[in-house]
Amino acid sequence: QVYVVFSEELRCWCRALLRSIRRQADGYQLQFFLVDHARYCSVPPDNIRVLAGEFAKMPYRARKCRLHCTKPLTLHLDFLEDTAKIGPAKRWDAAAIQYFRNLLE
């Protein structure tokens, strides 16, 4: 379901998909994916509305996607043998993500 949430960072109402719900000491914190800005943001429950009507049917400007056949790599350091090798990783590291974003821009 598509929601409308108020993004403090963008200072506007945005269409969003619910990603996760976290319970905190003072209530709940909901994390959303902003479908028109390709960003994630945390939103308190007071700033959430249900999107209804024809606006819910409009296509998103941002799409979640993956690079085909591209696997993350990382540098494995072995201090005992004093070597460094590039090998597979479970996740992309922050430097690789930032480098890819810079290439896209």
Side-chain angles (χ1 to χ4, degrees):
Q1 183 172 355
V2 181
Y3 296 91
V4 178
V5 299
F6 186 77
S7 170
E8 296 290 337
E9 181 183 351
L10 299 172
R11 296 182 184 183
C12 65
W13 289 91
C14 306
R15 293 185 302 164
L17 296 173
L18 181 63
R19 182 175 181 215
S20 66
I21 301 173
R22 294 184 184 156
R23 181 160 173 77
Q24 297 180 340
D26 59 343
Y28 290 96
Q29 190 71 22
L30 294 94
Q31 187 170 22
F32 285 89
F33 176 72
L34 305 180
V35 297
D36 294 319
H37 300 280
R39 294 183 183 182
Y40 291 96
C41 71
S42 295
V43 179
D46 300 344
N47 292 342
I48 301 169
R49 307 289 185 270
V50 175
L51 182 63
E54 295 298 317
F55 290 110
K57 297 177 184 176
M58 290 177 58
Y60 307 145
R61 291 181 58 200
R63 301 229 182 245
K64 292 183 185 180
C65 61
R66 295 181 183 202
L67 297 175
H68 180 69
C69 294
T70 304
K71 305 284 184 189
L73 298 174
T74 190
L75 186 64
H76 296 284
L77 301 174
D78 188 350
F79 293 107
L80 297 176
E81 295 181 16
D82 197 28
T83 60
K85 297 177 185 175
I86 294 179
K90 293 180 183 177
R91 300 183 52 155
W92 291 99
D93 62 0
I97 294 170
Q98 185 62 40
Y99 178 75
F100 184 70
R101 285 184 180 160
N102 290 341
L103 287 175
L104 290 176
E105 290 177 4

